[in-house]
Amino acid sequence: MAPEWHSTQLEIDETEDLIETCYESGWTDGLPVVPPTPERVERMLSGTDRDPDELIAAVPPKWGRATVEKVAINAVMAGCKPAYLPLILTAVEAMISEQFNLHGVQVTTSHVGPMLVVNGPIRKQLEVNDGFNLFGQGWRANATIGRALRLICTNIGGALPGELDRAAFGHAGKYTCCIAEKEEASPWSAMHVDRGFRADDSTVTVFAAAGPQTVNDHGSNTAEGILNTISENIAAPGNSSGETLLVIGVEHAKTISEDGFSKADIRRYIADTTQRYSEEDLLIIVAGGPAGRWSIVVPGWGSPSSRAVTLTV
């Protein structure tokens, strides 16, 4: 006998438009989705050895049952490849951990949503973009993996905008937000190593992210100058005082490291300069295109509302 949370197959008249059926059923994020036919779901499930009926988690705020099969269904709708499924399953497990506080993230009036940062060999295996335009369009893995998490939050968790999702504004990253760290270009250890994992571990970090904010500093030629600009952005009135993800651009990272700054030095300098952050609240990665003196600040949700969670894939 199938578990009570087993997926239900619907018989759809062949004359019906399946994409429109998904819209009418409320299964989309506002964009067209790939209809999750049994054949497509079966193909998606080939990406894992886990039992389709295995219960991964109950997803708040409606506590819908996220089985491997239901996660696969949403991955199909998002446009994922089967190879992405293990990472998505791990991201769901990270997202429902107590310290991430998905219930709060789903129903808050703040505009945060789950963001994924991928580290380790799986970045290259799945071709997750860590370079040019990594927060933007044009890369299937980034677009569809992050989108699968959003569809899971909506279709299984029940966080519909204006109903249980009470975000006053939201932001474009709530459609999808998945990036990788450009580990080869970093003068420092990768983020997952900072968080206690081995360099050759494949990991995914889930972070409650507000909209990315650009830091433009083409004039400073010292670590202190760049970090002062970053600190001014982080400390701007209205920014969260919780965890913050700092994505240091390749050129900025080179200047900062050549002045002898370690990641610990960066955290200490920003904490001392802003007088509002503890050093452990700053997550740091290096990413982006090789040219351009830019960095990105991604505010989180006010501490201790949510803390980033990292798991191995």
Side-chain angles (χ1 to χ4, degrees):
M1 183 175 178
E4 62 178 0
W5 52 79
H6 189 77
S7 303
T8 302
Q9 287 194 21
L10 301 178
E11 295 293 334
I12 306 295
D13 188 289
E14 63 181 15
T15 63
E16 293 186 48
D17 186 322
L18 294 183
I19 291 177
E20 290 300 323
T21 298
C22 291
Y23 271 120
E24 292 164 7
S25 300
W27 299 336
T28 85
D29 51 11
L31 294 170
V33 294
V34 178
T37 62
E39 295 78 18
R40 288 184 176 126
V41 174
E42 191 66 29
R43 189 158 57 246
M44 183 61 64
L45 286 167
S46 71
T48 181
D49 292 330
R50 298 172 75 164
D51 188 320
D53 288 332
E54 179 188 345
L55 180 62
I56 303 299
V59 182
K62 281 198 170 180
W63 304 103
R65 302 300 186 112
T67 61
V68 170
E69 182 183 49
K70 287 184 179 179
V71 171
I73 289 169
N74 284 275
V76 168
M77 290 195 288
C80 294
K81 293 181 177 182
Y84 304 165
L85 187 57
L87 190 150
I88 296 167
L89 291 167
T90 304
V92 172
E93 292 171 332
M95 186 172 66
I96 55 87
S97 65
E98 183 177 352
Q99 71 186 80
F100 184 72
N101 185 15
L102 181 60
H103 189 282
V105 171
Q106 291 268 65
V107 303
T108 180
T109 58
S110 179
H111 55 295
V112 294
M115 171 186 177
L116 303 181
V117 181
V118 182
N119 278 101
I122 200 168
R123 298 172 301 127
K124 300 302 182 185
Q125 294 164 13
L126 302 185
E127 298 184 323
V128 184
N129 186 18
D130 59 16
F132 288 112
N133 204 46
L134 77 163
F135 280 96
Q137 81 291 352
W139 217 267
R140 181 176 181 178
N142 299 55
T144 63
I145 292 171
R147 189 187 187 198
L149 263 288
R150 168 50 50 200
L151 290 173
I152 289 163
C153 285
T154 302
N155 293 336
I156 301 178
L160 295 170
E163 295 182 19
L164 293 176
D165 181 340
R166 304 298 293 176
F169 289 98
H171 66 98
K174 288 187 71 174
Y175 277 101
T176 178
C177 195
C178 173
I179 65 171
E181 179 169 7
K182 199 177 189 72
E183 297 174 17
E184 295 78 10
S186 177
W188 308 293
S189 59
M191 183 174 72
H192 67 312
V193 175
D194 298 341
R195 295 174 69 81
F197 297 88
R198 301 192 310 269
D200 60 354
D201 284 335
S202 290
T203 69
V204 61
T205 299
V206 61
F207 171 70
Q213 301 175 2
T214 302
V215 177
N216 173 8
D217 191 336
H218 283 70
S220 297
N221 293 311
T222 65
E224 289 89 347
I226 294 169
L227 294 176
N228 285 337
T229 303
I230 290 171
S231 296
E232 288 175 9
N233 185 287
I234 288 176
N239 267 358
S240 166
S241 59
E243 281 189 318
T244 295
L245 174 66
L246 174 57
V247 186
I248 302 179
V250 174
E251 286 196 24
H252 280 173
K254 185 173 185 294
T255 299
I256 294 168
S257 67
E258 287 179 349
D259 274 0
F261 275 64
S262 66
K263 276 191 177 180
D265 295 328
I266 294 170
R267 293 188 184 95
R268 189 177 308 113
Y269 190 96
I270 291 174
D272 290 345
T273 302
T274 61
Q275 292 293 301
R276 64 182 288 188
Y277 285 91
S278 62
E279 294 174 36
E280 62 268 22
D281 284 338
L282 292 169
L283 309 176
I284 299 173
I285 68 172
V286 173
R293 299 184 68 79
W294 307 91
S295 289
I296 292 284
V297 168
V298 186
W301 194 24
S303 183
S305 300
S306 178
R307 306 293 294 182
V309 176
T310 304
L311 294 179
T312 54
V313 179

